Amino acid sequence: MSALRLALASKGWEDDTLRFLGHCGLRVDRSNPRQYRARMRGLPTGPADVVFQRASDIFEEVSAGTVDLGITGYDIVAEHRSEEDDVVVVHAELGFRRCALVLAVPEGWVDVTSVSDLADVGAELRSAGRELRVATKYPNLTRQFLFDRGMTHFDLVEVSGAIEAAPALEAADIICDLTSSGVTLRENRLKPIGGGVVVESQACLIGNRRELQADPERLEATRALLELMEAYLRSRQLVSITANIPGNSAEDVAQRVLACGGVAGLRGPTIARVFPSEPADADWFALTVVVGEDILLATVETLRRAGASEISATQVRYVFERRSWTFEALKRQLDAAQDRGRKA
Amino acid sequence: MLGERAVAPLQRVRGTADVLPPDDARLRRLESRLRAGFERFGYQGIQTPILEPLELFLRKSGDEIVARMYAFSHWNRRLCLRPELTASIMRAYIDDLQGQALPLRLHYAGPIFRYERPSRGRSRQFTVVGVELVGASGPAADAEVLHLACAGLEAAGITRYRLVVGHLGATLQLLAHLGMSDHAQGLVLDHMEPIARGRVDLEAAITRVVDLLGGGGAPANGGPTGLPASLASLPPDQATAIAADILSRASLPVEGGARQPRHIIQRLLAKAERPDPTDQVRAAFEFVAELHAAACSPDQLEPVLRPILEKRGLSTAPIQDVTAALDLLRAYAPLPPGVEIEVDLSLARGLRYYTGLVFEIYVDDDEGPLQVCGGGRYDDLVRALGGRESVPACGFSYGLERLDLVTTQGGPPDTTRILVVGVTGEDHEAALSVAADLRRLDDLSVEQDVRLRGVKSALRYADRAGVDLVVIVGERERQEGVVVLRLMRTRHETRIPRADVVAAVRDLSER
């Protein structure tokens, strides 16, 4: 019996990650906040071992197989992955810590709005005997992005500390760095350029192919984890509405509701007979439907027009499909890797 | 010492291949046959390092190559594994050979590296074998290179192939006519190949290049309007001063570390005047597509291709170049009847340095056409790489592994394999002297048994390894002054005098 080993990111990531896991019904217990080991409860397969690490180190831990799974930024995975590592992206979009890796230039470069302008500036600096210096912690992604766009005259500069300060400190001319709101860029008098998004990122779940394949118990725990994550992510922005509607029969209610503009829900409304506590002059039915949060009020209006009252709405916590699509995708990846391994 | 535990085997880097026996011998024979052919035309061998400064290929090789390089930084030096050989050889020419009498004829072979999806006959490391003819321009030089390419194929036993000839002159003229910037021209050239091959949609390619060029500046039609146009009518210094004043009044600081505020404003104004590149890019790509659609046999050049160039007011010199080079090619030697020639002026080869005639050769096998060879003229490369003066040059290379795939002269080498065995350790020295005598014969491979586990074990090995002939030396034989010859195929054994063993083996191996 071996417990699933999961690496979570510490520092700025911790609150967001624990909130996300909490929404999935998973609780991380730590004896004290300075401990970097913890247990995660909530999986039917038993508690998982959790280790907290810097987001940038999680890829290496998963790649080396010292943990089975890890939650980190997709940008880090994209920068560090190679064709030959054992890392699989198990769930690419966990829906939090969204950001983008972008090229940004000094605000004062009023003539630069596109990558093509950068190529021109590269040539301009070059004729002055200099190279355009790009500060980044993502050399692989940045180089490939610029090469793919026909830009070859630049130097990548490794900067320790805050990348966005590099141009002001004259350690670099421009930067390629993460931004979510753009505030940090603006504070450092930098602006993103058009077509300069190198990669869009958010938190993702990665796993070690070998470790998952080797242990059916940990694979089963992974399946449970994915079920919860997937069901939670699917349920976000969904509300379940229940309303009481008078009518002659369930069919009659359904027809009236549909005639008022329809309340489709995920599959269609559920209508059931209400047995009133006091005698009433008509039969009453309860209608239940799950809709997107964005159409909550519109749906309430529709139901009112159909004669509904006592309309209640609750946040949906999970939506389970017939099967876990992400787990099946993971299984396919593991099987494909095994086939390749056998061939090689 | 390693413990009991088995150590996991290491695998080769993905996308690379090991060349095992007997493939290695076959590939080396093919390479030396090709290079011997080049030497008969006065070409001399050259070798350059596999490791090169990254910069060498950034200047002129084009996106297709640059984006697929194995590039890395080693102790702050930017390096790469060479993705092609022509730039390396021109670097060597500039380094050491600029004083030599021209034309200079060079031939080479070696591995190159591209990080791309492996395909038939092409791993991420593959071998190129080729020539460069430096310091000669015109169809006579082009024809020599074309002939070498065709002659090498014939030496490899390939007589059915398709030669596709193009000429960058047509497209380069049009781009100059359109007034496109160098950067824009480079992008168009990089996209010619995928467009002509149908790998990208014309509209998608236009959108991408226009996007990379930063989209439209001034409105395409209706002429320039607004501030930039008014400023354009002023002397440049005054225009710059006014623009700087407006920007500072709007509290837009124009400063940029390494960049001069003056340069920033000048570029801003120049950019505003630049027309929307969409029409130019579209015109260029439609021209490329039209050229590709008009690909034809050499005798159709005049009626088919000439009107396309004349319609746009372009010189027809590229057509004359191609015609002259192909006429001269036939004058070297008649081409085999299985050779098909096609002229396709959209051919760009995915490299940015070609300036004139270019060509590729395809050989069909069971799985369809395979490009085994390509080359062309690159008159600006020496200059772009820092040469003292511009030097015309052309060349081509074969992909050795691909050529090997389609060549009919494969098969194992016809060397006779011999194993010399001493019956016991006592006989080993006598056996060594027999082996030494046999090695004086040509076309023999003579192995010596060194495991010394006796005749039975040696014969088992000979059987499995495919040895043709075993020579056995034992104590009794030594005393009698004879050796035993065993023919593995028939298991027939004969005793012959020690003095006659060389003659006997020669007779047997020639049979």
Side-chain angles (χ1 to χ4, degrees):
Chain A
M1 174 75 206
S2 55
L4 185 70
R5 300 164 303 166
L6 174 69
L8 300 180
S10 52
K11 303 265 168 61
W13 275 74
E14 194 171 325
D15 291 347
D16 292 332
T17 309
L18 295 185
R19 193 176 312 119
F20 168 77
L21 292 172
H23 287 314
C24 299
L26 299 163
R27 199 176 75 243
V28 177
D29 295 332
R30 209 159 16 158
S31 49
N32 82 61
R34 280 188 303 279
Q35 275 279 350
Y36 72 101
R37 292 193 170 280
R39 305 272 267 176
M40 183 176 76
R41 295 174 206 283
L43 291 177
T45 45
D49 290 336
V50 167
V51 51
F52 283 91
Q53 308 215 286
R54 290 193 315 180
S56 53
D57 292 339
I58 286 180
F59 183 89
E60 291 308 325
E61 294 293 324
V62 173
S63 177
T66 49
V67 293
D68 306 309
L69 297 171
I71 294 179
T72 186
Y74 182 74
D75 50 289
I76 291 165
V77 178
E79 173 70 16
H80 291 275
R81 72 187 314 184
S82 81
E83 283 182 327
E84 288 163 63
D85 60 42
D86 285 313
V87 177
V88 279
V89 175
V90 181
H91 199 307
E93 299 176 344
L94 298 184
F96 66 100
R97 289 202 74 98
R98 290 174 191 275
C99 59
L101 182 64
V102 301
L103 283 166
V105 304
E107 272 175 1
W109 290 15
V110 292
D111 60 327
V112 176
T113 53
S114 68
V115 179
S116 164
D117 288 331
L118 269 191
D120 279 0
V121 172
E124 173 195 306
L125 289 174
R126 197 182 175 74
S127 60
R130 294 216 15 221
E131 290 282 349
L132 179 73
R133 294 164 308 159
V134 188
T136 187
K137 287 180 178 158
Y138 299 82
N140 292 325
L141 290 172
T142 307
R143 186 188 305 111
Q144 200 62 36
F145 181 83
L146 292 172
F147 278 176
D148 280 342
R149 281 154 188 77
M151 172 150 180
T152 51
H153 298 313
F154 60 88
D155 265 344
L156 295 180
V157 191
E158 278 181 43
V159 177
S160 47
I163 295 282
E164 59 276 4
L169 297 172
E170 299 201 356
D173 300 306
I174 68 171
I175 67 165
C176 185
D177 202 14
L178 293 180
T179 176
S180 49
S181 62
V183 174
T184 314
L185 289 182
R186 272 198 300 282
E187 281 171 352
N188 286 281
R189 303 178 72 180
L190 297 168
K191 60 170 184 181
I193 57 167
V197 177
V198 176
V199 67
E200 302 264 10
S201 178
Q202 57 178 290
C204 67
L205 178 70
I206 55 176
N208 182 293
R209 184 180 288 138
R210 259 182 303 114
E211 297 295 321
L212 292 178
Q213 230 155 14
D215 188 333
E217 284 174 21
R218 283 182 275 163
L219 191 59
E220 182 55 24
T222 303
R223 194 182 68 79
L225 182 68
L226 279 174
E227 285 274 17
L228 290 171
M229 288 182 173
E230 206 179 314
Y232 160 65
L233 288 168
R234 200 178 286 121
S235 77
R236 281 187 317 169
Q237 284 130 34
L238 288 181
V239 282
S240 171
I241 304 175
T242 306
N244 291 331
I245 305 182
N248 298 326
S249 65
E251 289 74 18
D252 169 49
V253 170
Q255 255 164 22
R256 263 187 302 130
V257 169
L258 292 174
C260 289
V263 177
L266 295 180
R267 208 170 278 277
T270 308
I271 298 168
R273 179 84 186 274
V274 175
F275 296 91
S277 47
E278 291 165 27
D281 46 359
D283 283 341
W284 282 81
F285 292 85
L287 175 144
T288 305
V289 69
V290 175
V291 299
E293 234 166 26
D294 52 331
I295 58 162
L296 171 64
L297 286 180
T299 309
V300 168
E301 260 329 296
T302 307
L303 292 171
R304 279 179 179 154
R305 277 203 301 280
S309 56
E310 294 106 18
I311 305 170
S312 66
T314 50
Q315 187 80 46
V316 177
R317 188 146 172 224
Y318 299 109
V319 176
F320 291 95
E321 287 268 354
R322 280 169 54 210
R323 47 171 82 103
S324 165
W325 303 109
T326 43
F327 182 72
E328 291 194 356
L330 171 65
K331 279 287 286 175
R332 278 197 298 276
Q333 285 195 68
L334 296 182
D335 293 347
Q338 210 158 27
D339 282 354
R340 265 205 308 281
R342 239 177 262 132
K343 253 180 235 163
Chain B
M1 276 300 279
L2 292 171
E4 292 282 296
R5 216 178 133 203
V7 178
L10 284 172
Q11 288 178 347
R12 60 172 187 263
V13 175
R14 188 185 279 192
T16 60
D18 297 312
V19 181
L20 306 174
D23 297 347
D24 169 70
R26 196 180 63 242
L27 281 164
R28 276 188 293 116
R29 268 188 303 148
L30 180 57
E31 177 191 322
S32 57
R33 191 178 308 156
L34 295 170
R35 299 186 76 174
F38 301 151
E39 290 190 342
R40 278 197 288 279
F41 281 77
Y43 286 72
Q44 295 174 286
I46 182 170
Q47 296 182 34
T48 57
I50 287 170
L51 207 54
E52 290 279 10
L54 176 64
E55 175 69 23
L56 176 61
F57 304 98
L58 295 184
R59 292 203 188 170
K60 270 292 194 184
S61 294
D63 290 4
E64 284 260 331
I65 295 238
V66 166
R68 291 172 174 73
M69 272 192 296
Y70 281 89
F72 50 93
S73 177
H74 182 78
W75 281 97
N76 308 313
R77 180 96 161 96
R78 297 204 292 163
L79 302 174
C80 68
L81 303 181
R82 63 186 178 199
E84 53 124 354
L85 258 159
T86 300
S88 293
I89 292 182
M90 290 306 111
R91 179 198 48 67
Y93 168 78
I94 294 165
D95 274 354
D96 291 318
L97 300 170
Q98 282 194 93
Q100 300 264 334
L102 296 180
L104 190 60
R105 291 180 162 93
L106 301 168
H107 70 85
Y108 57 81
I112 65 173
F113 303 81
R114 292 183 191 170
Y115 183 65
E116 57 195 5
R117 185 180 288 276
S119 59
R120 209 150 46 102
R122 183 145 292 182
S123 310
R124 287 175 174 170
Q125 171 182 334
F126 61 97
T127 313
V128 288
V129 181
V131 303
E132 309 294 350
L133 171 51
V134 187
S137 59
D142 290 337
E144 173 166 311
V145 166
L146 275 170
H147 171 68
L148 283 173
C150 296
L153 290 183
E154 281 160 48
I158 298 167
T159 51
R160 299 187 68 83
Y161 55 87
R162 188 161 64 92
L163 169 64
V164 183
V165 182
H167 198 296
L168 262 296
T171 308
L172 289 174
Q173 273 187 73
L174 181 90
L175 296 180
H177 258 236
L178 291 170
M180 294 181 100
S181 69
D182 281 357
H183 179 58
Q185 293 200 14
L187 287 174
V188 170
L189 291 176
D190 285 343
H191 283 79
M192 274 176 75
E193 173 93 348
I195 288 180
R197 298 248 161 123
R199 269 190 288 151
V200 295
D201 173 63
L202 189 64
E203 292 302 321
I206 293 172
T207 309
R208 178 172 156 82
V209 171
V210 169
D211 224 35
L212 290 175
L213 288 172
N221 305 307
T225 54
L227 189 61
S230 321
L231 287 175
S233 59
L234 298 172
D237 282 354
Q238 214 176 329
T240 308
I242 292 173
D245 185 43
I246 293 170
L247 288 168
S248 80
R249 278 167 201 275
S251 330
L252 281 171
V254 178
E255 56 184 17
R259 300 183 65 205
Q260 305 261 333
R262 189 167 47 91
H263 287 154
I264 295 177
I265 292 175
Q266 280 166 358
R267 245 205 99 243
L268 182 67
L269 293 178
K271 205 178 127 185
E273 278 173 40
R274 205 184 291 161
D276 185 330
T278 312
D279 292 345
Q280 291 180 336
V281 173
R282 177 177 297 281
F285 284 166
E286 282 175 355
F287 181 63
V288 170
E290 191 178 348
L291 288 178
H292 183 63
C296 58
S297 66
D299 54 341
Q300 294 293 304
L301 276 184
E302 286 293 318
V304 176
L305 286 171
R306 179 179 279 275
I308 296 177
L309 300 187
E310 282 178 344
K311 187 168 72 186
R312 290 173 170 84
L314 304 176
S315 147
T316 53
I319 296 179
Q320 283 136 33
D321 268 9
V322 169
T323 309
L326 288 176
D327 286 346
L328 286 173
L329 171 64
R330 289 191 199 89
Y332 273 87
L335 291 166
V339 176
E340 188 190 322
I341 302 181
E342 181 184 86
V343 179
D344 179 351
L345 294 186
S346 75
L347 189 69
R349 306 221 55 242
L351 283 159
R352 212 182 263 189
Y353 52 62
Y354 288 117
T355 54
L357 185 140
V358 288
F359 67 95
E360 289 177 345
I361 296 178
Y362 294 83
V363 179
D364 275 340
D365 72 351
D366 316 337
E367 292 179 53
L370 199 61
Q371 190 202 320
V372 296
C373 168
R377 171 162 292 286
Y378 49 92
D379 289 347
D380 296 337
L381 186 57
V382 169
R383 198 52 197 253
L385 295 180
R388 281 203 294 268
E389 52 201 16
S390 156
V391 178
C394 55
F396 80 92
S397 66
Y398 299 111
L400 186 68
E401 292 81 1
R402 282 193 172 175
L403 199 54
D404 175 58
L405 264 187
V406 294
T407 185
T408 49
Q409 303 194 337
D414 42 11
T415 311
T416 305
R417 287 184 65 183
I418 294 168
L419 176 68
V420 184
V421 185
V423 174
T424 69
E426 302 283 293
D427 307 310
H428 189 57
E429 281 185 28
L432 282 177
S433 98
V434 173
D437 287 350
L438 289 174
R439 288 194 185 104
R440 293 198 192 100
L441 290 172
D442 288 335
D443 291 327
L444 284 190
S445 109
V446 183
E447 289 172 57
Q448 173 73 49
D449 172 44
V450 289
R451 299 213 295 184
L452 308 182
R453 290 186 191 166
V455 174
K456 201 168 163 190
S457 156
L459 288 179
R460 205 177 310 126
Y461 161 76
D463 205 37
R464 288 192 58 196
V467 169
D468 300 300
L469 199 61
V470 178
V471 182
I472 301 164
V473 182
E475 193 189 353
R476 210 176 67 211
E477 285 84 4
R478 274 195 290 136
Q479 282 163 1
E480 292 170 17
V482 297
V483 298
V484 175
L485 276 191
R486 180 184 167 99
L487 206 55
M488 290 306 291
R489 192 165 42 82
T490 59
R491 298 168 189 241
H492 178 71
E493 288 189 5
T494 45
R495 292 159 68 87
I496 36 174
R498 168 69 179 82
D500 298 343
V501 67
V502 172
V505 167
R506 187 200 295 129
D507 286 353
L508 280 170
S509 68
E510 279 171 5
R511 220 176 274 161

